Amino acid sequence: MRAVIVDCAIYRDGHRSEGPSDFSDALDQARAWGGDAFLWIGLHEPTESEFDHVAEEFGLHPLAVEDALKAHQRPKLEVYDDSLFVVLKPVVYEPQGDTVTTGELMVFMGDSFVVTVRHGEGAPLGAVRKRLEAEPELLRHGPTSVLYAISDAVVDHYIEVAGELQVDLEEMETEVFQPAGGDSKNTASRIYMFKRQVLEFRRATGPLAAPMTRLAGAGVPFVNEHAQPFFRDVSDHLTRATEQVEGLDRLLSDILSAHLAQMGVRQNDDMRKISAWAAMAAVPTMVAGVYGMNFEHMPELTWVFGYPMVIVLMAVACVGLYRLFKRRGWL
């Protein structure tokens, strides 16, 4: 069990306090202290058997426990009789491959306790703990302060990732609209993969709007009544991140359309060039074809200058066609 427990601590009066090593005894002590005292236990990818003991001690709802174990959940907020259950999807940007991956954070909040369950390697909560422990005034809001700090950290990271994707998008724009055009097949593939990354990002930001709006309002059980302004701030940041992601998606669609249009224009240019060269080749082919027929009475067959005159005629015709096509931009 200790292998999956990342950290376990009691917080009282805005400060971390030493308590029993067993989290069951620690919960009893936090409740005995009362006031703003609470226990925060962090778990990383627990198995079903490991989490059953935690669920039993904290009285977690079986449906919420099932969601926490299976993961792959949409961001959501659910209220049960003895606890509040929140699902968040942290986003991690990998600059080496320009890829976006998502993890999952489940937060159980109830009477004098917070249980966090993390799936994936992204978004560790060590930095969030340090931030809260450095701000006693915030910690005095009890378990609500943990939910706020986690939500704030996740949403702020959304904005950072959106900024990284914006830089990648600008580089892609430069590649698409450069005069040479780049590798058309590779560019189209990159745009499509980029859209898949943005879609993954939208699955994290979009569904989270409703839970944050609800937390920013009144009447949510287990949430401190003075926390509404904090969650409104998180909701505002989430709106900004969502707008950035939607903007990226629209720009990618526009870039893909522009790239396909450019490919069509280049193909038209190629076809015009091919047609122009074919027209120039057709004139001498036609003249040579006429004189290649086996008829006795043909013009200029016995004239000494007939052959040179036909060659000159074909050359003049080809040069004239070349200048015509060049003037019209076909060549």
Side-chain angles (χ1 to χ4, degrees):
M1 186 64 199
R2 291 184 179 276
V4 300
I5 297 178
V6 179
D7 201 348
C8 179
I10 300 176
Y11 295 89
R12 181 185 186 189
D13 194 28
H15 297 281
R16 182 169 179 146
S17 303
E18 295 296 330
S21 58
D22 183 77
F23 64 81
S24 179
D25 295 335
L27 177 61
D28 292 337
Q29 181 171 325
R31 286 174 172 170
W33 280 342
D36 60 4
F38 67 94
L39 171 68
W40 179 6
I41 177 172
L43 308 175
H44 181 234
E45 296 183 351
T47 63
E48 183 175 354
S49 59
E50 291 169 338
F51 198 58
D52 281 344
H53 183 47
V54 177
E56 182 180 355
E57 289 294 333
F58 290 90
L60 306 180
H61 196 278
L63 292 178
V65 171
E66 182 181 356
D67 289 345
L69 289 172
K70 289 185 176 179
H72 304 293
Q73 303 294 318
R74 285 167 55 90
K76 62 181 179 178
L77 166 64
E78 294 182 353
V79 179
Y80 298 101
D81 293 336
D82 300 322
S83 63
L84 190 72
F85 180 56
V86 180
V87 178
L88 303 167
K89 293 185 75 69
V91 172
V92 178
Y93 174 77
E94 299 176 0
Q96 292 81 6
D98 295 336
T99 57
V100 172
T101 57
T102 57
E104 289 194 37
L105 274 174
M106 285 78 170
V107 182
F108 295 88
M109 191 171 72
D111 179 21
S112 302
F113 73 84
V114 176
V115 177
T116 55
V117 182
R118 181 167 60 91
H119 291 271
E121 297 300 324
L125 298 178
V128 176
R129 278 188 186 264
K130 290 181 180 179
R131 173 195 168 188
L132 283 172
E133 291 173 1
E135 300 182 26
E137 291 299 324
L138 185 59
L139 263 178
R140 288 192 178 97
H141 288 88
T144 304
S145 62
V146 177
L147 179 58
Y148 158 71
I150 293 174
S151 303
D152 187 54
V154 169
V155 172
D156 283 348
H157 195 60
Y158 285 166
I159 297 176
E160 294 177 9
V161 173
E164 296 285 351
L165 291 177
Q166 182 66 42
V167 174
D168 290 343
L169 180 61
E170 291 173 357
E171 293 176 356
M172 187 173 292
E173 271 186 312
T174 302
E175 178 181 338
V176 169
F177 293 107
Q178 66 182 351
D183 185 350
S184 298
K185 183 178 180 180
N186 185 53
T187 300
S189 175
R190 284 188 59 199
I191 295 174
Y192 177 76
M193 293 304 298
F194 205 138
K195 283 186 70 69
R196 291 296 300 268
Q197 304 301 321
V198 173
L199 176 61
E200 186 73 13
F201 200 169
R202 292 184 66 177
R203 288 173 179 167
T205 60
L208 188 58
M212 287 298 108
T213 301
R214 189 176 176 187
L215 288 170
V220 181
F222 308 107
V223 176
N224 191 301
E225 60 182 4
H226 301 294
Q228 295 175 24
F230 295 94
F231 285 110
R232 278 199 297 269
D233 181 65
V234 176
S235 182
D236 290 341
H237 290 182
L238 178 61
T239 300
R240 176 184 168 190
T242 302
E243 290 175 350
Q244 285 182 289
V245 175
E246 291 177 351
L248 289 171
D249 190 50
R250 287 194 298 270
L251 281 173
L252 278 170
S253 297
D254 293 342
I255 290 174
L256 181 58
S257 298
H259 176 65
L260 295 176
Q262 282 185 325
M263 289 180 62
V265 170
R266 293 192 193 106
Q267 289 175 349
N268 289 336
D269 288 341
D270 292 340
M271 288 302 299
R272 288 193 300 179
K273 291 178 181 179
I274 293 172
S275 299
W277 286 110
M280 287 188 288
V283 172
T285 301
M286 180 185 66
V287 176
V290 170
Y291 279 93
M293 291 187 294
N294 297 320
F295 291 105
E296 181 178 354
H297 302 288
M298 294 189 69
E300 315 303 342
L301 283 179
T302 58
W303 187 35
V304 177
F305 298 102
Y307 179 75
M309 284 298 297
V310 171
I311 296 298
V312 170
L313 176 64
M314 289 190 292
V316 169
C318 290
V319 170
L321 288 173
Y322 178 82
R323 296 186 61 183
L324 175 64
F325 292 139
K326 191 73 173 178
R327 187 165 56 248
R328 293 189 176 183
W330 286 37
L331 291 174

